[in-house]
Amino acid sequence: MEKGNRQVVVSALQFACTDDVPTNLATAERLVRAAHAKGANIILIQELFEGYYFCQAQREDFFRRAKPYNDHPTIKRMQGLAKELGVVLPVSFFEEANSAHYNSVAIIDADGTDLGLYRKSHIPDGPGYQEKFYFNPGDTGFKVFQTKFGKIGVAICWDQWFPERVMQGHAGANVVPLVASNRIGKEIIETEHGKSQITFYGNSFIAGPTGEIVAAANDKDEAVLIAQFDLDKIKSKRSCWGVFRDRRPDLYKVLLTSDGSKTSS
C-alpha cells in the first residue's frame, strides 16, 4: 500500500452452501463481485465453501473431496478473479498433501499472486464436528501475509478459541480489525448412524480495533458485510493504548503447559 494511502475496506461474505462445487463457486464469485462493487479490498469467503460441511460424518469416501494445493482448480479460479477485480481473497479448501490432509487457506493477493498457505492449527472433535477424522493438525504455524492493502493473519474456526481468547477479544487485545465469515442454511449428511443435520448460525461480523462490532449479519440471510478502517489511526491507537508496551511474556509460561502447572524455569 502506498505511503499516505492507508485506508482499507474489508468484507465478510455469508451464504448457504449446496453440495455442488460449481454452484458454490458461482455463489462465492457473485458475492465477491458484489463486495468489490461496494469498494472492498480484502474479501473473506467462509470456511470449506466448496460443498457441505462434511465433517458431520466419518466417511472414507469424503477423503476424495481433498485436492493438492498446487494447481488446485478453486484456487486458480479465485486467482483469476482476484487479479481481475484487484482484491485480496483468502481461499479455504480441503488439502491433500501426500498422505496428510489439512483444513487450509491460500492467500491470494490483488494481482492474483498466491502468497502462501495456512493450515488450521486446532482441530476439534465432537458430535457434528468430527474434524480429527479428516484433518492433520496444521504444521505451518501462525503466519502473517503482506498483501497490497496491508498485513493480514488468518485463523480458521476452532482456532478462534486459542490462546484463551475469542474473536472480539483477539481484535481488542491486539488493536486490529477482525473479519469473521460463517455459513448459513441447513445441511444433512448421511453418517454411519443415519442422517445428521446442522443448521448453521451465520452471524458473520466485522470487529473494529477495540473489539466493537461495526457490521453484522443475521443467522438466516445471505450477506455482504463491509467496513472501512484507517490503518494509520489504528497504528497510533495501538501505540497509545500500551497493550504491547505492558505485555509480560515472562509471566505467561504457564500457557506453554497443557495442565496449567508452573514450569520449572
Side-chain angles (χ1 to χ4, degrees), residues 37-162:
K38 294 182 177 183
N41 307 124
I42 302 172
I43 305 169
L44 180 61
I45 311 170
Q46 62 212 30
E47 180 189 17
L48 298 174
F49 64 92
E50 291 180 291
Y52 278 170
Y53 178 72
F54 53 86
C55 304
Q56 291 191 58
Q58 295 187 12
R59 283 176 45 178
E60 182 179 330
D61 60 311
F62 282 167
F63 280 98
R64 292 199 292 269
R65 298 178 180 230
K67 293 182 177 66
Y69 173 39
N70 291 331
D71 296 318
H72 192 289
T74 295
I75 295 174
K76 290 175 73 69
R77 176 170 173 170
M78 291 299 161
Q79 284 181 279
L81 183 62
K83 183 176 182 179
E84 176 193 342
L85 301 179
V87 298
V88 174
L89 296 175
V91 180
S92 172
F93 68 104
F94 183 14
E95 180 192 2
E96 179 186 72
N98 295 318
S99 296
H101 297 82
Y102 299 99
N103 186 338
S104 300
V105 169
I107 308 301
I108 310 304
D109 207 357
D111 62 356
T113 301
D114 185 344
L115 297 179
L117 189 70
Y118 168 70
R119 292 168 169 164
K120 186 173 182 176
S121 299
H122 304 92
I123 310 300
D125 187 67
Y129 300 89
Q130 300 178 62
E131 295 195 13
K132 280 186 166 63
F133 183 76
Y134 297 100
F135 306 132
N136 295 72
D139 58 359
T140 58
F142 295 109
K143 300 174 73 173
V144 175
F145 300 90
Q146 179 64 64
T147 77
K148 176 182 178 180
F149 301 107
K151 294 179 181 178
I152 64 171
V154 181
I156 303 174
C157 196
W158 195 233
D159 284 335
Q160 70 173 290
W161 298 97
F162 307 92

Side-chain angles (χ1 to χ4, degrees), residues 208-261:
T210 60
E212 76 280 18
I213 300 295
V214 298
N218 63 28
D219 62 353
K220 294 181 177 63
D221 297 321
E222 188 174 278
V224 176
L225 303 179
I226 297 288
Q228 181 169 342
F229 296 100
D230 184 321
L231 298 185
D232 287 324
K233 287 184 178 179
I234 291 173
K235 181 179 180 181
S236 177
K237 182 186 292 290
R238 188 181 305 118
S239 298
C240 71
W241 268 38
V243 291
F244 287 93
R245 178 198 64 210
D246 298 335
R247 290 180 75 248
R248 291 288 307 278
D250 56 305
L251 301 180
Y252 311 150
K253 293 179 181 178
V254 69
L255 295 180
L256 299 177
T257 72
S258 294
D259 64 358
S261 63

